[in-house]
Amino acid sequence: MKIMNFQQAVARQFNKAAKDYHQHASIQRLTANRLLSLGPANVNQALDVGCGPASTTADLLLRANHYLGVDIAPAMLSKAAADYPELSWLNGEWEALPVADNSVDWLFANLSMQWVDNLQNAMSDAYRVLKPGGVVTVNTVVEGTFSSFIKSWNAVDDLQHTHRFESTERVQNEISSVNWRYSELVLEEHTQHFGSVRELMGSIKGVGANYVRRTDNAGLMTRSRLQQLENAFEKYRTLQGLPLEWSVLNIKLVK
């Protein structure tokens, strides 16, 4: 069996999620609206990195004369192109954007940067494609995300069951490796609630966020292990349900 690198594995996960992505993407819509509030009112060229199935395309078209969507997952791009066949859609990744130097006025990226293998390389490439004075509005999921879910799994075993999210401090340091003229970072916390562990895990999987880069063997999800997880998670239940926390770092950068 061919061993996939990190970006190939992430692409496969989001290809699987493409079909039902919209119905699970409530947190993505919320965070996208926050990023839009940080962006410019009108630009010539907008670049949507991690565009998914054209989740925020309509909003960006209201502010941009030209739009280009880039995603690592071909299945996401197929859905986007079906809805907007007149627009340009390119398969690519953060660290090697298929875009010319100094060609973008606004780089928008909603919840895609946490899947970057080398954030410094990604920031360098974002800087490369921006025009002088160009703006980046991007967010990323950081440490603290899925905290109740992670602690519940820790009560079952000591294996890795979620993506390892970077700390806010490390993200800030890696962003600072590029000489941005202006930078602003704001951390926001969001919590979704679900009636059951199965429903919660289905939502994580539905947006492609269930990819785990691990060296251990987590084994199959047996009925016994699921019951152990459900029992452990019950201590975190509130009147609203089982919590799924998202720690989202909103970032605005100017070249």
Side-chain angles (χ1 to χ4, degrees), residues 22 35 37 90 93 100 103 106 117 134 153 177 185 195 201 238:
H22 281 309
L35 278 189
S37 74
L90 295 177
E93 58 187 72
S103 63
W106 181 15
D117 199 25
W153 262 123
S177 66
L185 291 81
M201 293 174 69
T238 69

Side-chain angles (χ1 to χ4, degrees), residues 170-225:
R170 182 167 181 177
V171 172
Q172 185 170 9
N173 289 338
E174 293 184 345
I175 287 173
S176 299
S177 66
V178 174
N179 189 29
W180 300 103
R181 183 159 60 87
Y182 172 85
S183 62
E184 175 186 345
L185 291 81
V186 178
L187 182 64
E188 293 186 348
E189 307 287 348
H190 306 283
T191 304
Q192 296 176 287
H193 292 89
F194 298 88
S196 69
V197 171
R198 290 175 185 268
E199 184 185 354
L200 182 146
M201 293 174 69
S203 179
I204 294 174
K205 184 178 180 180
V207 295
N210 59 322
Y211 173 70
V212 182
R213 176 160 55 177
R214 59 160 64 93
T215 56
D216 55 62
N217 180 11
L220 296 174
M221 173 62 90
T222 63
R223 184 175 298 179
S224 173
R225 295 183 83 203

Side-chain angles (χ1 to χ4, degrees), residues 116-135:
V116 169
D117 199 25
N118 187 309
L119 184 53
Q120 288 188 18
N121 289 347
M123 288 294 97
S124 295
D125 216 44
Y127 192 91
R128 174 186 66 80
V129 304
L130 281 178
K131 297 176 183 177
V135 177

Side-chain angles (χ1 to χ4, degrees), residues 225-244:
R225 295 183 83 203
L226 178 60
Q227 185 63 61
Q228 288 179 280
L229 178 61
E230 289 173 336
N231 292 343
F233 214 151
E234 278 302 310
K235 69 181 289 186
Y236 300 103
R237 183 183 290 277
T238 69
L239 292 175
Q240 296 169 286
L242 297 173
L244 184 65

